[in-house]
Every structure is written in structure tokens, then in C-alpha cells.
Amino acid sequence: MGADNYKDRFVPASLSNVTFDEKIYGVPVENTAIAVIFYNKAIFEEYGLEPPTTWEELLEVAQVLTDNGVTAFSLANKTKWTSSMYYMYLVDRIAGPGAFMNAANRTGGSFTDPAFVQAGEMIQQLVEMGAFNEGFNGLDYDTGQGRMLIYAEEAAMEIMGSWEIGNFISENPDFYENNLGVLAFPAVEGGEGDPSNVVGTVGDNYYHISSTCEHPDEAFELLTYLIDDESVALRITSGRIPPVAGVAEMIEEPILQQVVQLVENAESVQLWYDQYLPPELGEAHKDIMQALFGLEITPEEAAQMHEDAIAEYYGE
Amino acid sequence: MATVARQDFARSTPNRRLRPTETTWTIILFLLPTLVLLGVFVIWPIVSSFQLSLYDWDGLSPTREFIGLENWTRLRSDNIFWKAFRNNFTLVTLSLAIQMPLGVGLAVLLEQGEKLFIFKIFKTVYFFPMLMSSVAIGILFKYVYDPVFGIINPALEAAGLSSWTRSWLGDTDVALFSVIAVVCWQYTPFYMILYLAALRGIPTDLRDAAFIDGAGESRYYWSIALPQIQGTIRTAIVLSLIGSLKYFDLIWVMTEGGPSNASELMATYMYKKAFPSFDMGYGSTIASAMFIIVMLLSLVLMVLTRRFETEV
């Protein structure tokens, strides 16, 4: 990676996931993806709503929508990681990225810290006020059951990774061009987290070469084709953000441009919990999210279950 | 003719009578290919999953740690596994209670209506669900059950039964039953065909004799046909029991055992542990436990229903 300054091709943050002992072990090929709020501008206009910048405002918006029979947030949560985005953002806004990192890495934090409980409470408040579509725990994101609500204008907002832009472009270009708006996750009043922080990943789908490979140089050359200028251009037209330096200048689409701005201004990027944690804990986290949103467990129980799972995993 | 042929055969090998040991070896020789295949693809995997259940292994790394019966003690106190076990039982009970009578009923109906052309169409139509792949059925019914865009909720609302609407797959109280309904929809035709074939196999003179003795249609089915096909019914029950205990497909496609394990089955739980969670050792433990449970229950059922064993 060091040769010919090849690594300068990429956004530095995209290499942080594969850098150990100052050596780079992978080529980031796919998109930069962060979770944002997508919203339907026409619905907001119809009810005279302003895009919320704080959690209080978001609750008011949700209330107005709910009172008018519009689902505030579309959620397909059979898939489970979809709901985790709300939780990750709330924890980050309440206590900053350190809360999760310290709990997950066992560096003096705990999943029973007040931030995690408060995030759970705020989510359940949203659920109880009817801000989500009915039966969300049985809907499948992968078969588009969440987006159907958006397209049918049954729901006004969705929190989802920015890859959703590609889905919007290919499935409903009309909606994409006329009504789609993008928002950063709002600030939480009194929270310690910087409201510019984002949840997601800068660069993903890393490609690696096995150390037993007989032709490492040729293999590496092949990998460079996966992210050469041509494939970068194609990815941008399909609504994705390749993790290459200077990508902001290459993008003209206003929506993608907005997402790039959010990434560039971000104080920190929190990787998805279920990918940061070891697979077993990632699965446990997703199950806990589904139960939390389904109001089957209290926020305190959710926090305790996270803590028990990780404590058991590390044999504490 | 037959006797002549046999004499010729005997004459052609006058002093070549096979000794008992030779016959045994011949039999073994001819069975060998099957035994090898069975050993490699059936018996060895079962033995090996029992062996894996004694290890802590993620399924990928070259090393694995022997931990004795630790996985088994963990299984004993694993609430989710026992919940899955109970769910499997619900599935067994409802499958038997719905699919068996419905299968017999449809078979009788088709046999009765056979003279009419229109029923021949029904026979094919009734069999359709069996012909579709489970994944296609699962995705289809995911849309049927969709609370907003589906068929069921809007239909109930149109019929003025708004209070009956549910989020069929998203509600922990009904998700399991929603999927079981689809399982029955898919498998009833299979038993229908099985029973129809058995009903057809009853000699017509039995039927004629019954009518001469003054039995009506219902009397015929109840007193003559049902006892005649009891062997088939027994086979069907055993098949359904085993199938329900190791069931996986539709649950996986429609709910993945969710929400919050409400529709978890032993097989879906095994898959979740062995693969997405990279806990192959524990997954193998669940698989082994399933094997023991299915084996024991089928044996018990076979013994209990032994008196119904008749060749049809």
C-alpha cells in the first residue's frame, strides 16, 4: 500500500479499520456509509413542519405526524440492525463516542451506564407514542417492506445507511428527485456528544490478500482495478460514496453531496455496533434491540442484558 | 412355464450350492456401495457433530478447545432452547391436528367428486402449494401478512372486523401461529395425495360389499375406508412428527425465529448459533440434542402405534 503513495488515494479514515501496528492490511473498495434521516419533503410541507435539529423538535414533528395519521418513522425490524441505528445515535449524542468504546473494550465503561438506559427510554417513548409503523418487528428490510411505506407516503421519515440513496434512485427515481431530503441525526439537549458525530463506516468491503498467496503483486494490481477511476465514477452515479480522497469534488448530486459534507464535518465516526463487536455479541445486541423496540424488556433490562452478554463473552 | 425355468436353472448348476457364509459375503458385497455412502454422508456427520459438541470452536479457526460437557450443561439451562423446543411441540400438535383431518377430508372429497371433470382441476389446484419452493412461499406470505399493504388486515377491516387485525409476523403472541398456518397450507396437499392414493388402493369389492350390506357413503368411509388406510395414516403421522421437529424453512424466511425468539424453533436456533454467531461447538450441541429428541419421539410414536401397522 505504501508504494507510489497509493494509500493517499483514500480518505485516511477509511484505512483506520484495517491498520494495525502502522501496517495497512486491506484495500477499502465499497462505499462510505453513514446512517442519516431520510425524509419526505412533501409531507413535511403539507403539515408545515421544519426539519428537526434537536430531539425535542423531532418528538414534536413525530407528534404532529402521528396526530395526522402519518407514520413518523418507517422501520423494518425483522432485520434487527435497522433499529440499532437509533440506539447507536442516541448513545453517541447523550454521552459521546467514548461511552460505547469504553463499555465494549472493557476500559472502564459499562453498558449499564446511564447513557445506555436513557437511550432505551427515549426509544421506548417514540414507540409508545406510535411514531413507528405497526408490526415493524415482523417486516423485512431486505425485501423492501420498510421502503414501501415511504413510497406509499404512509411514513415520513426513515433512519438508514446512506446506501439507501441507491435504492431510492433505482426503485423510485420520481421520489428521489422531487421529495427526498436528508437530515443529520438531531442533537440531544444536554448531551455530551458532538452533534456532528455520525454512525456508520468510512469505507467498507475491504479486500485482503492471503500471506500464502503465490503472486501477491499481481493480486494487488487486480485489487486496484476494483477501485480505479472508472469504478469510482460508476459508483457515484449509482448513489454511492467511494472512500477516495477528493470525492466531494466528484459528486454533483445534492443529496450525496450533503452526505459527504456530514462525513467530512464529523468529529468522529462510530462504526456499527454489530460490526464492531465480535459476531456473537453483535447477534446478542441485535436481539436486544428487537426486544427493546418491541417493548418486551425495559431499558434497564436491555442495558443489563448487553452487560451480561459482554461480561460472559470475556469470561469476567 | 415358471416351474420349467426353475428346473433348468437348478440343472445348470448341479453341484454349486452356496454355503451360508458365502451368501453372507455376497450380500455384504452388494450392500457395500450403499453402506459406504450411508457411512460417509449420514452416519459420520452425526457422529462428528456429537464430537464437535464437546469443543469450543468458532467453525473457522484451525484450533479448537476441548471443554467436555460444558456445552451440554449450557444447553440444559438455556431458556431460548427450551422455548424453541416448546414451539416445536406446538408445531407438531397443530400440524397433526390440522393437516391430518384436512388431508383425509380433501382426499375423500376428491374421491367422491372424481366423476365430475371439474374436480380433476381441483386435484391439481389443491396440489399447487406443494409444488412451490418454500422460500417463494415465505416471501409471498410475508407480503400477505404485511399489516399495511397485505391482504389479511385490509380484508378484515373491510369486513368490519378491525379489532381482529394484528401485525401477524411482528406480534410475539401470534407470529408462530401465523407461520404455522402457512406450513399447514403448504403440507396438507402432500398428505391429501398420500391418502387419496391409499383410498384408491382399497379393493372395489369391499366397497360394493359394504353397499350391498346397506352402508351409506359416510358409513363406508368411517367403518371400512379409515381402518383400511390406517397404515398410511400412521406413516403420515410419523412423517409429520419428524418433519415438524426439525422444521426450518418457512420460519427462517418469514420471521427468522423472531420477534425476540417468539417463533424460534430448535433448527433455527441451531443455525443462528452455529453460523451467524460463529459458535459451531454449541450449534453442534443443539443439533445433537435435536437428533436425540427426534429419535426418541419417533421411536415412542412407532411403538405406540404399532398395532395400526398394516400393509396397504
Side-chain angles (χ1 to χ4, degrees), chain B residues 175-228:
Chain B
L176 179 65
F177 300 101
S178 303
V179 184
I180 291 180
V182 186
V183 174
C184 292
W185 180 84
Q186 186 186 10
Y187 283 98
T188 304
F190 171 73
Y191 297 108
M192 175 194 81
I193 289 290
L194 212 62
Y195 292 137
L196 186 60
L199 284 176
R200 289 247 186 80
I202 301 174
T204 41
D205 37 349
L206 268 183
R207 187 188 181 95
D208 296 339
F211 286 130
I212 290 170
D213 287 346
E217 289 286 351
S218 51
R219 181 75 200 210
Y220 163 73
Y221 281 113
W222 187 249
S223 306
I224 312 279
L226 266 188
Q228 282 287 315

Side-chain angles (χ1 to χ4, degrees), chain B residues 24-166:
Chain B
T24 317
W25 280 112
T26 320
I27 293 173
I28 289 178
L29 188 71
F30 278 98
L31 285 179
L32 203 60
T34 320
L35 283 177
V36 168
L37 286 178
L38 206 66
V40 171
F41 291 109
V42 178
I43 298 173
W44 173 241
I46 293 173
V47 173
S48 123
S49 62
F50 271 96
Q51 188 202 355
L52 278 179
S53 76
L54 305 176
Y55 287 87
D56 181 18
W57 186 40
D58 60 11
L60 297 171
S61 75
T63 56
R64 52 193 197 208
E65 188 195 344
F66 184 80
I67 52 166
L69 291 176
E70 211 174 281
N71 279 331
W72 288 89
T73 43
R74 176 175 162 201
L75 185 76
R76 212 177 49 193
S77 55
D78 186 340
N79 290 332
I80 300 177
F81 176 76
W82 293 109
K83 174 164 197 175
F85 178 73
R86 285 195 300 276
N87 283 347
N88 267 112
F89 251 89
T90 313
L91 177 62
V92 169
T93 319
L94 288 178
S95 290
L96 291 178
I98 295 170
Q99 293 176 28
M100 296 302 129
L102 212 59
V104 174
L106 286 174
V108 168
L109 210 64
L110 284 176
E111 205 200 18
Q112 277 293 299
E114 233 160 26
K115 302 127 211 167
L116 295 169
F117 172 72
I118 187 85
F119 274 88
K120 291 205 170 125
I121 300 177
F122 280 129
K123 193 171 77 186
T124 319
V125 171
Y126 288 162
F127 202 60
F128 274 166
M130 198 61 217
L131 299 175
M132 284 168 71
S133 108
S134 296
V135 176
I137 292 177
I139 292 177
L140 186 74
F141 273 90
K142 238 167 13 185
Y143 289 121
V144 168
Y145 281 132
D146 190 305
V148 177
F149 305 107
I151 299 175
I152 297 184
N153 276 358
L156 285 173
E157 268 159 30
L161 297 168
S162 297
S163 59
W164 289 20
T165 58
R166 296 276 181 283

Side-chain angles (χ1 to χ4, degrees), chain A residues 78-80 133-140 143-145 148-149 152 154 279-280 283 287 290-292 296 312, chain B residues 74 139 142-143 146-149 153 166-167 169-170 172 252-256 258-260 272 276-279:
Chain A
K78 171 197 170 235
T79 329
K80 297 179 199 167
N133 46 294
E134 190 195 334
F136 52 79
N137 268 349
L139 299 186
D140 193 345
T143 51
Q145 284 183 298
M148 279 160 71
L149 290 159
E154 294 268 346
E280 197 177 333
E283 291 301 312
D287 286 340
Q290 202 182 39
L292 178 74
E296 283 141 40
E312 194 195 326
Chain B
R74 176 175 162 201
I139 292 177
K142 238 167 13 185
Y143 289 121
D146 190 305
V148 177
F149 305 107
N153 276 358
R166 296 276 181 283
S167 56
L169 296 174
T172 44
W252 187 255
V253 178
M254 293 175 70
T255 66
E256 273 175 46
S260 308
K272 281 182 180 172
S277 302
F278 292 99
D279 198 347

Side-chain angles (χ1 to χ4, degrees), chain B residues 3-19:
Chain B
T3 41
V4 175
R6 205 180 302 140
Q7 276 164 1
D8 284 349
F9 177 71
R11 215 177 298 133
S12 69
T13 56
N15 31 11
R16 184 90 182 93
R17 294 202 75 133
L18 289 173
R19 272 171 286 123

